[in-house]
Amino acid sequence: MLSFLKKKPQVLILIIMLMIATFFRSYQIVSRFDYGHDGDLSSWIVKDIVVNHHIRLIGQLTSAPGIFIGPLFYYLLIPFFLLAHMDPIGVTLFGVLIGLLTIGSYYYVLSKLWNRNLGLIAAFLQAVSISAIGFDRWIVPTINTNLWAVWYLYSVIMLSRGNFSVLPILGILIGLIWHVHIALVPALITIPVALLYVRRMPKTKIIALSLIVLFITSLPLILFEVRHNFSQTHSLMANLTSHTEIESKFDKLTHIGLQISNNVNALLFSPQSLPQVLKIPFTLILLFSLLLFVKIKLLKLGDVICLYSWIGGVVLFFTIASSPISEYYFANLEIIFIIISSLFLYLLLKIPLG
């Protein structure tokens, strides 16, 4: 083991990061456990599955009328409820594991896409960010958002580089959107953008495999919709076409900009904060700096096009949509700002001293 760690010191660094992350995500885990409305619903749903042997096709009702979240989150909680003898406190271990998986995924994905040092920096930021720690300790169905975003990033960047072997991964991720958060749907605009950039189409075999995987992961949704006359589909269409908003499009765009910039501020500076007037300009500077990284060849043009289309698709969708918005709708964009921050730190560490 010592010989292996000497040859691969980045593994030792990653292990230390995971230990630090474990401490932050488990410190006073019982006394700081936030058991509220979502926890109560999760407990009843898990009890319904385990005790009443009721196979669930849906989870709780979302903030969008008539639309439920998928059941995967609740099935994943079952082992932790059983481990704690059906005490809800057991789910805190699930949050720790999801956090560690996300950090490990950051290292693996960014190492594969760019380099190991960048992967270590991004993993460290995710491990110690107070905002990320709080997100992992908040045991709600959207807890898997960051893990989903890391692997979605990997898939679309690889797709833009002409690697179609990631299409089955995309099939899984698309199918899991209903189980994680429906607000992830606008990010899918990145897939056709990546295909247009690479100017090649995948072979029929890999497309067929991806569609099969997508069908399997979407099966609970399909079964529920068939059994209930496509009630969620009708509700989704009604939510998208209703005109109940009171904000103008410009006001809504400004509101979205504030939500995203507040998220970025919390991610990078919490518990400190930038002045409110600087939050949006700072966020825009970070986004425009992606072009700098292309110029100095740390990123490829296709990488940046994917990142811009991701954030652009999300912003455009929620600007046009009439549904009310919340800050956690934009949690999937935080990975872009982790990458930008990691690139700046990577450059800083390369500057010779003395």
Side-chain angles (χ1 to χ4, degrees):
M1 177 64 73
L2 290 174
S3 176
F4 173 77
L5 292 177
K6 286 180 180 178
K7 292 178 182 177
K8 294 185 178 291
Q10 69 274 8
V11 176
L12 176 60
I13 296 172
L14 181 62
I15 291 172
I16 294 172
M17 286 183 189
L18 292 174
M19 292 172 65
I20 293 170
T22 301
F23 170 76
F24 283 138
R25 284 157 177 78
S26 60
Y27 177 70
Q28 294 184 348
I29 200 167
V30 176
S31 59
R32 292 174 181 258
F33 178 43
D34 183 16
Y35 185 81
H37 173 70
D38 291 291
D40 187 46
L41 279 173
S42 298
S43 301
W44 281 105
I45 291 173
V46 170
K47 175 183 177 293
D48 193 35
I49 297 170
V50 175
V51 178
N52 301 333
H53 308 293
H54 179 198
I55 304 301
R56 304 277 306 209
L57 292 176
I58 59 169
Q60 69 189 65
L61 184 68
T62 67
S63 57
I67 299 176
F68 296 83
I69 199 165
L72 179 62
F73 169 73
Y74 307 97
Y75 283 102
L76 292 175
L77 292 183
I78 289 175
F80 301 93
F81 268 91
L82 294 176
L83 187 65
H85 304 289
M86 297 303 286
D87 189 325
I89 194 63
V91 302
T92 54
L93 295 177
F94 174 73
V96 173
L97 287 178
I98 289 296
L100 297 182
L101 277 173
T102 303
I103 294 163
S105 296
Y106 260 101
Y107 169 72
Y108 178 84
V109 166
L110 270 68
S111 297
K112 287 290 184 181
L113 293 177
W114 295 292
N115 63 65
R116 286 196 297 263
N117 290 336
L118 194 60
L120 284 172
I121 294 170
F124 178 75
L125 291 178
Q126 182 68 18
V128 302
S129 166
I130 291 179
S131 175
I133 293 165
F135 196 88
D136 291 337
R137 293 180 72 127
W138 188 34
I139 314 299
V140 294
T142 55
I143 193 174
N144 298 308
T145 300
N146 290 327
L147 185 58
W148 185 94
V150 176
W151 286 101
Y152 183 69
L153 170 83
Y154 174 75
S155 301
V156 294
I157 297 293
M158 292 296 280
L159 196 62
S160 73
R161 297 177 183 179
N163 187 335
F164 298 127
S165 64
V166 298
L167 282 173
I169 300 176
L170 278 172
I172 294 172
L173 294 173
I174 295 170
L176 290 178
I177 286 176
W178 182 53
H179 299 274
V180 180
H181 201 297
I182 198 69
L184 298 172
V185 169
L188 298 183
I189 188 63
T190 314
I191 297 173
V193 170
L195 289 172
L196 285 171
Y197 179 79
V198 78
R199 295 183 181 180
R200 286 194 292 120
M201 287 299 293
K203 294 181 179 179
T204 306
K205 184 178 180 181
I206 194 73
I207 293 175
L209 177 60
S210 305
L211 291 174
I212 291 170
V213 170
L214 174 60
F215 174 78
I216 293 171
T217 51
S218 303
L219 200 54
L221 174 60
I222 294 169
L223 290 174
F224 181 85
E225 290 297 271
V226 169
R227 290 186 63 183
H228 296 274
N229 299 316
F230 297 91
S231 63
Q232 290 191 100
T233 305
H234 295 312
S235 297
L236 178 62
M237 296 304 297
N239 288 326
L240 291 176
T241 56
S242 63
H243 298 282
T244 56
E245 60 181 336
I246 57 175
E247 290 181 300
S248 68
K249 298 302 181 187
F250 178 78
D251 289 339
K252 196 162 189 181
L253 180 61
T254 304
H255 185 194
I256 290 168
L258 285 171
Q259 294 280 19
I260 294 173
S261 61
N262 284 335
N263 285 3
V264 173
N265 179 75
L267 180 71
L268 300 180
F269 298 115
S270 182
Q272 305 302 318
S273 176
L274 289 173
Q276 190 67 34
V277 70
L278 294 180
K279 288 180 181 178
I280 289 182
F282 175 76
T283 303
L284 291 174
I285 289 170
L286 289 181
L287 287 174
F288 283 120
S289 68
L290 287 169
L291 299 174
L292 167 67
F293 297 125
V294 174
K295 187 174 179 61
I296 62 178
K297 298 182 179 180
L298 279 178
L299 296 179
K300 298 179 180 179
L301 179 60
D303 302 345
V304 174
I305 289 173
C306 286
L307 296 179
Y308 278 153
S309 63
W310 185 343
I311 195 168
V314 172
V315 170
L316 180 62
F317 175 83
F318 285 108
T319 301
I320 295 172
S322 58
S323 57
I325 58 174
S326 183
E327 69 278 359
Y328 57 84
Y329 285 15
F330 308 105
N332 65 93
L333 300 178
E334 292 178 9
I335 187 172
I336 297 172
F337 297 96
I338 287 281
I339 291 170
I340 296 171
S341 303
S342 301
L343 286 164
F344 275 117
L345 289 172
Y346 175 74
L347 286 177
L348 183 64
L349 291 171
K350 289 183 69 176
I351 297 174
L353 299 177

